[in-house]
Amino acid sequence: MKYNFDEVIDRSNNRSSKYDERTKKFGTDDVIPLWVADMDFKTAQPIIDACVEKAKEGIWGYTSRPETYFKAVQGWEIRRNNWKPDTELMSWSLGVVPAMCGIIRLFSEPGDKVLIQTPVYSEFYDITEASGREVVENKLVEKDGKWHVDFDDFANKVKDCKIFLLCNPHNPLGIVWDREDLRKMAELCIENGTLIVSDEIHSDLIFHGKHHTPTVTLSPEIAEHVITCVSATKTFNLAGLQASTTIFPNAEMKKKFDDFWGGMDIHRNNAFSSVAMEAAYNHGEDWLEQLLVYLQGNFDYVCDYCQKYIPQIQPNNPDATYLMWLDCRALGMSNEELRDFFIYKAKLGLNEGYTFGRSLSGYMRLNAACPRSTLEKAMKQLKEAVDALEK
């Protein structure tokens, strides 16, 4: 079927954190919310249909997870990434972030160091520090709007780190890592006995003819040192259903993980997430292919608009995710001034760049997964706010 991503859906007062938590996040609800990473689009019709049928049953008791659940994950990875993960080494979790938090606590000790590459998804900081571990930053290097790994710094810092949290593909920079860079990082980790935890939640959202490389597929030796975290929640806008899959290199690590969650009696999908995940993996591909085309159009629109009308702001055109990284340094503002400018002058609710890299200044992250008309309004408001500064 043909999907209409131009449809504007009123998400206010429907328990959407993106909309109903605007005052909590920004101090006002008078902003267009382009922050938290979910989409303003209805999901694929086969997923809606499956959930409606489940709702009609009217009985949502303790829910089993049939073999078809992980088979659906496996089939998806085969079709999309030419990777056949072993279903016997898959575990369910509430989400990729909870899974990674559990991994940190299970496979390192308090006080151990965890390597991250900044700017990166802010929860990488949060779950590490909340677990009593120390964050070590391998800061990505920017040159002419492109970001790269500082391998000398990586090699120096990974020596002391128990775990490397890899964002593959990268949020918020939209990097699709090439095999050479992935291999080099992985080999440095193996040399130093560092466990690789590969967050691949954005791996289905790839553009510009790029291809996602699951870290585990680099070589059999590397695969023995990688835990992979995947989910359909970002891909199909299902984050509120809370489900992810963690794929281990061996049965011993999987058992340790399962026992950890089982000890808290957290081991079942809710009645709708199991149905939605299977429907997404088995029947959602057509929707995804249409979504990717639409999102690429959104990226192009923002980039073209800024180039023509707001040259002081330079957005990237990401190769992955639906998140755009805005270089606002030409505005000459501090992080606090930039935040207030976007909220109170442009009336836009974005994520502050310094939350992704604590030493950064002058960046913002924009969620472009919304109808084009929403972006058009947002860009107009941003232009007017910047024009007022110039005056």
Side-chain angles (χ1 to χ4, degrees):
M1 64 179 290
K2 173 69 175 175
Y3 290 97
N4 179 20
F5 296 104
D6 283 321
E7 180 185 5
V8 177
I9 300 165
D10 183 3
R11 297 185 65 197
S12 59
N13 300 313
N14 76 345
R15 307 191 187 192
S16 162
S17 62
K18 187 176 184 179
Y19 283 77
D20 295 346
E21 293 180 11
R22 281 178 289 183
T23 301
K24 177 181 177 182
K25 170 70 174 173
F26 303 107
T28 175
D29 65 356
D30 188 21
V31 292
I32 298 174
L34 302 171
W35 60 297
V36 67
D38 70 14
M39 298 186 273
D40 290 341
F41 308 128
K42 287 183 180 178
T43 192
Q45 194 61 45
I47 303 172
I48 296 172
D49 293 343
C51 288
V52 167
E53 287 305 306
K54 189 66 179 174
K56 287 179 179 178
E57 291 177 9
I59 303 174
W60 310 304
Y62 294 118
T63 302
S64 67
R65 189 164 46 249
E67 289 184 13
T68 54
Y69 183 88
F70 290 130
K71 282 287 187 183
V73 178
Q74 183 189 64
W76 182 265
E77 292 295 341
I78 291 171
R79 295 193 305 276
R80 304 295 295 190
N81 298 315
N82 197 30
W83 170 39
K84 187 178 181 181
D86 186 348
T87 58
E88 295 297 317
L89 296 177
M90 295 181 184
S91 292
W92 171 84
S93 182
L94 286 165
V96 165
V97 172
M100 293 174 71
C101 186
I103 290 165
I104 290 171
R105 298 181 185 212
L106 288 168
F107 299 102
S108 67
E109 299 296 330
D112 281 347
K113 295 180 179 180
V114 175
L115 185 65
I116 67 174
Q117 293 178 301
T118 56
V120 75
Y121 186 45
S122 59
E123 274 75 358
F124 279 30
Y125 283 107
D126 299 341
I127 60 176
T128 300
E129 293 172 341
S131 301
R133 278 62 169 172
E134 180 183 343
V135 170
V136 176
E137 294 184 52
N138 170 230
K139 296 178 183 178
L140 298 173
V141 180
E142 185 266 335
K143 183 178 180 182
D144 299 327
K146 299 292 183 181
W147 296 75
H148 309 277
V149 179
D150 182 340
F151 277 106
D152 289 338
D153 183 71
F154 189 100
N156 182 53
K157 289 178 175 175
V158 75
K159 295 175 184 177
D160 301 319
C161 295
K162 191 75 172 180
I163 293 174
F164 169 41
L165 300 182
L166 170 63
C167 200
N168 177 30
H170 191 276
N171 167 19
L173 299 179
I175 299 170
V176 176
W177 298 111
D178 60 40
R179 293 184 72 90
E180 291 266 327
D181 283 352
L182 282 176
R183 182 182 296 277
K184 193 168 182 179
M185 289 188 283
E187 288 175 348
L188 285 167
C189 287
I190 293 172
E191 287 173 17
N192 292 280
T194 305
L195 175 66
I196 303 164
V197 182
S198 191
D199 169 7
E200 304 190 7
I201 196 169
H202 290 281
S203 59
D204 302 318
L205 301 162
I206 307 291
F207 307 92
H208 304 131
K210 301 275 186 172
H211 298 281
H212 170 66
T213 301
T215 309
V216 73
T217 64
L218 293 169
S219 75
E221 180 189 12
I222 289 171
E224 294 175 4
H225 300 268
V226 179
I227 299 174
T228 305
C229 302
V230 297
S231 178
T233 54
K234 281 287 184 284
T235 308
F236 294 99
N237 209 26
L238 305 172
L241 291 179
Q242 296 183 304
S244 72
T245 301
T246 310
I247 305 169
F248 292 91
N250 57 63
E252 291 75 20
M253 295 179 83
K254 171 181 160 55
K255 184 178 186 305
K256 191 172 184 179
F257 183 84
D258 291 344
D259 289 347
F260 173 78
W261 295 108
M264 294 181 282
D265 199 35
I266 299 173
H267 56 91
R268 295 183 187 275
N269 290 79
N270 70 58
F272 291 90
S273 74
S274 62
V275 169
M277 293 300 126
E278 280 199 53
Y281 284 127
N282 290 332
H283 307 293
E285 221 153 351
D286 183 49
W287 180 89
L288 174 58
E289 292 303 326
Q290 294 179 49
L291 170 74
L292 295 175
V293 173
Y294 192 87
L295 289 175
Q296 182 60 73
N298 278 359
F299 301 153
D300 292 342
Y301 171 77
V302 172
C303 289
D304 291 345
Y305 191 95
C306 287
Q307 184 178 22
K308 291 177 182 176
Y309 304 112
I310 325 175
Q312 302 91 331
I313 295 176
Q314 297 183 4
N316 72 337
N317 198 319
D319 289 329
T321 81
Y322 46 73
L323 307 163
M324 303 186 73
W325 189 241
L326 308 186
D327 183 345
C328 308
R329 289 176 293 177
L331 296 177
M333 298 181 183
S334 68
N335 284 326
E336 184 175 315
E337 289 169 339
L338 189 62
R339 179 182 188 274
D340 288 349
F341 169 76
F342 270 87
I343 294 172
Y344 299 110
K345 301 299 183 182
K347 296 189 176 182
L348 302 177
L350 277 62
N351 291 99
E352 302 90 344
Y354 68 84
T355 64
F356 301 90
R358 292 171 180 171
S359 62
L360 287 175
S361 181
Y363 295 93
M364 300 291 284
R365 191 191 75 172
L366 180 148
N367 179 349
C370 57
R372 189 76 42 78
S373 60
T374 302
L375 280 182
E376 290 170 351
K377 183 179 180 183
M379 289 299 102
K380 181 181 178 183
Q381 289 178 195
L382 183 55
K383 177 184 182 299
E384 290 172 352
V386 173
D387 287 348
L389 284 177
E390 298 295 314
K391 293 177 183 178

